[in-house]
Amino acid sequence: MKVFVTGGAGYIGSTVVAELIAAGDSVVVFDNLYQGHRGAVHPEAIFIQGDLADRGAIDAALAEHRPDGIMHFASYTLVGESVTHPFLYLGDNVRNALNLLESAVQYDVRRFILSSTANLFDDPEEMPIKATERIVPGSPYGESKYLIERLLHWLDKIYGLRYAALRYFNACGSHSPDLGEDHDPETHLIPLVLQVALGQRPHITVFGDDYPTPDGTCVRDYIHVVDLAQAHILALRALENGVSRKYNLGNGQGFSVKEVIEVARQVTGHPIPTVIGERRPGDPAILIADSTAIQQELGWKPRYPSLQTIIETAWAWHQRHPHGYEKG
Ligand code: UDP
């Protein structure tokens, strides 16, 4: 298949691109390099530096390359930023997706994979969280993804645009020592912990230890980025003759912040000092995915469910590229 990947220079997008190419697909990456890195894009992918705010640029790319499917990763992705800058999310994220979708319909691309989020489930009635759980977005970020899911719902009904919305829990780990996570600023737990192990930070601040969890720190479902990538590829193939779907993607097991730090100590051999800080606004105590639907319907199964493996792969990347892509 020929796949058009927006945000294909970002952490998850670039991993999916590498896995698509390994599977024999051809890939066109469309990325404005706001957060992405040119060096993360697989050399066999066609790269277009473009912005989804520019409808003409999307039209030109789709007209030239005529992809069989689109995977849409490019967006603002930070819960906290979405509260301080809501229009980047409720505005830009949604407008950019709308540009892409209008262009997809115009150029007759009928398969679409949306990178969605666990932030749709701010008040779950059941844990682990099924894809059928009621939607309560936890922030303008979650709301922006929900709005895009709703756009897809209608475009499916009206134009037959088949889609899969994949709601990820905590993406982590590295594809390989040369393809990993490089955000600026970095806000995620595992890369921050590994920056402490590299001597780049004096300690990790634990955001609250008074949650109603076994050790008082938040519990999350950490899923290896290559497992996520495989889910995207399976979902895209399944759309060929199938119906649109929504899946939650995680390992189905939760680990606390303290457990993550302890495993990182074992993997790195560094003491990783901690400081207990305030709760981070908007953090629910526990988020664990129920991924049974994608396992049963598409045969997806995580290959790297162990937290130790996840952190080992992330550590291999951080050791080889302690300052990320551009700086080494
Ligand atoms: N966290 C923390 N210290 C940090 C960064 C994150 O204690 O410096 C916690 C955060 O409160 C959450 C978990 O680690 O419970 C995972 O956070 P992350 O930002 O990696 O992912 P999120 O759960 O927000 O998607």
Side-chain angles (χ1 to χ4, degrees), residues 315-326:
W315 182 229
W317 151 259
H318 282 277
Q319 278 184 300
R320 190 174 295 177
H321 298 274
H323 303 288
Y325 285 98
E326 280 81 20

Side-chain angles (χ1 to χ4, degrees), residues 170 187-189 192 204-207 218 220 222 257 280 283:
N170 289 64
T187 62
H188 295 105
L189 179 65
L192 288 174
I204 182 80
T205 303
V206 175
F207 294 151
C218 288
R220 293 286 179 274
Y222 294 90
V257 173
R280 186 171 66 176
D283 268 339

Side-chain angles (χ1 to χ4, degrees), residues 105-135:
V105 169
Q106 181 171 337
Y107 290 94
D108 210 28
V109 188
R110 291 287 188 268
R111 298 183 196 102
F112 194 96
I113 307 290
L114 174 66
S115 158
S116 189
T117 174
N119 196 245
L120 301 187
F121 309 114
D122 198 46
D123 188 18
E125 288 178 326
E126 273 186 83
M127 192 68 64
I129 303 173
K130 295 192 178 73
T132 49
E133 178 63 69
R134 65 186 176 152
I135 305 284

Side-chain angles (χ1 to χ4, degrees), residues 134-279:
R134 65 186 176 152
I135 305 284
V136 182
S139 68
Y141 168 58
E143 189 76 45
S144 74
K145 294 290 182 173
Y146 182 52
L147 291 169
I148 300 167
E149 289 195 8
R150 295 304 301 164
L151 298 176
L152 286 165
H153 167 82
W154 287 109
L155 300 180
D156 180 355
K157 271 192 188 311
I158 297 165
Y159 297 110
L161 182 121
R162 299 285 181 258
Y163 69 93
L166 304 181
R167 289 93 169 246
Y168 334 136
F169 284 60
N170 289 64
C172 51
S174 293
H175 174 273
S176 61
D178 292 317
L179 188 58
E181 188 168 10
D182 177 8
H183 294 115
D184 186 17
E186 187 52 77
T187 62
H188 295 105
L189 179 65
I190 292 176
L192 288 174
V193 164
L194 296 178
Q195 287 176 2
V196 178
L198 285 169
Q200 296 173 348
R201 294 174 186 268
H203 59 259
I204 182 80
T205 303
V206 175
F207 294 151
D209 67 350
D210 57 351
Y211 283 93
T213 59
D215 67 16
T217 64
C218 288
V219 171
R220 293 286 179 274
D221 184 334
Y222 294 90
I223 172 166
H224 197 283
V225 66
V226 170
D227 285 330
L228 271 187
Q230 286 302 325
H232 287 75
I233 295 173
L234 282 174
L236 182 68
R237 309 252 192 268
L239 289 183
E240 218 147 332
N241 303 306
V243 293
S244 296
R245 294 154 200 269
K246 297 173 190 133
Y247 292 125
N248 289 357
L249 279 174
N251 270 323
Q253 328 175 47
F255 293 97
S256 72
V257 173
K258 282 188 179 163
E259 286 173 317
V260 169
I261 295 168
E262 192 46 48
V263 174
R265 287 184 180 126
Q266 289 160 22
V267 168
T268 64
H270 189 281
I272 310 184
T274 59
V275 169
I276 304 299
E278 296 291 305
R279 288 184 176 197

